[in-house]
Amino acid sequence: MNISVYRPGELTAADRAAWTALQSRAVADGSPQLANPFLAPEFALAVGRCRGSARIAVVREDGEPVGFFPYQRTPLGVGRAIGLGVSDAQGLVHGPGFQWDARELLLACGLSVWEFDHLVEGQKPFETGASGSYASPVVDVEQGFGAYLATLRKQSPKFTRTTLAKERRMSRDLGDVRYVHDERDPDVLRTLVGWKSAQYRRTGRSDRFARPWISLLVEQLFHTRTESFAGLLSVLYAGDRPLAAHFGLRSRSVLACWFPAYDPSFAKYSPGLVLHLRMAEGAATGGLAYLDLGRGEKAYKDSLKTRELSVSEGWVTRRHPVALGHRIRRAPVRALRNTVLARPELFEPADRLLKRMGRIREGG
């Protein structure tokens, strides 16, 4: 392999176009997971503007780019998936049948280890380092919203009936309810961020938007629009008042769900669930194939999904003391977290404790 490493902003227009072309071909070649917008050059460029550690390895054969590997690197050579912690799809974007050697790639990138938590399917050279695989629910809308709604009525009849009834009640009680699939008002984005931050605090979770680089990244992506990629803000209104909103990323075929939130004063109407149904309708109208709801077990995801993808977490390493030390530090933390998440008898009391702590913080 002929591998060159660049900062994201150093990629040529030709390389960016080749990267996008590989993603477009992936759908036809039976690897639609590579068309995820988190694997797009636009996402890597945005992270690069927020994080100086971002890099892109370009793999070439006969002078032509055949693979793109976005990552982040510490000065000691510890590598992480680009945007680790907020990215819901990770891996090397490549053409059909392309094979690579993971350790050779790490060596060329100056990495002793590369850590991932949302590795997409089909990345066999990296999958050898996976410590676990997890479901990422999907909403299929390629056959149109009517077909999806019919499927939903069969598999989740009570959920569908109740959610649509709440939407009608919302209209009666609050006035004209309307949905904007692609809202361009940055003030509404700020409203969403405020809701999401409050939700994180209320539930005892770490507030992602308290990290300046994540806030900057979302703002960068909101203003990023190309033919094959866009930051998409979708909003459910009652009159001129937003009730629920979602910010995610769109490629030509996938809407990656990312930051949903709603005004808790209207919780009895389940505006977040109504919003997701309208997002599915908007995605179908826009010709997308599916919505990726992201890794993580949530009741609303189980009700909305039509199937599941699989993503993996773990790390690949070279023989290096830094790689060993990183794994010793990180493995117990990941194992404990995944044990709690996978076992209801542990997760539920932990979740209640976090929410109680969140209420105490809010009260203070």
Side-chain angles (χ1 to χ4, degrees), residues 240-290:
D240 293 327
R241 180 168 185 168
L243 305 182
H246 168 269
F247 182 72
L249 305 179
R250 174 197 59 76
S251 67
R252 282 194 174 100
S253 58
V254 180
L255 172 57
C257 299
W258 204 11
F259 292 114
Y262 61 88
D263 185 337
S265 59
F266 297 99
K268 68 179 182 180
Y269 298 103
S270 299
L273 297 179
V274 175
L275 173 68
H276 275 81
L277 285 183
R278 296 306 146 215
M279 285 164 52
E281 184 176 21
T285 301
L288 273 63
Y290 64 88

Side-chain angles (χ1 to χ4, degrees), residues 1-34:
M1 295 188 295
N2 181 354
I3 303 170
S4 302
V5 175
Y6 305 90
R7 295 178 184 273
E10 297 171 344
L11 280 185
T12 66
D15 280 343
R16 293 197 301 272
W19 188 340
T20 300
L22 285 176
Q23 285 198 290
S24 297
R25 286 177 54 194
V27 177
D29 292 334
S31 302
Q33 68 276 5
L34 293 180

Side-chain angles (χ1 to χ4, degrees), residues 105-119:
L105 180 62
L106 263 57
L107 179 62
C109 294
L111 300 178
S112 58
V113 57
W114 181 65
E115 183 179 0
F116 52 86
D117 63 0
H118 284 77
L119 182 72

Side-chain angles (χ1 to χ4, degrees), residues 102 129 170 326:
M170 202 186 302
H326 181 78

Side-chain angles (χ1 to χ4, degrees), residues 37 94 155 160 213 271 321 340 355:
H94 59 86
Q155 69 182 30
T160 309
W213 79 269
V340 171
K355 288 177 180 177

Side-chain angles (χ1 to χ4, degrees), residues 344-364:
E345 69 272 21
L346 297 177
F347 174 77
E348 290 171 7
D351 188 52
R352 286 196 298 270
L353 177 60
L354 286 172
K355 288 177 180 177
R356 190 176 305 124
M357 292 173 64
R359 286 194 296 270
I360 292 171
R361 282 199 211 106
E362 290 290 293

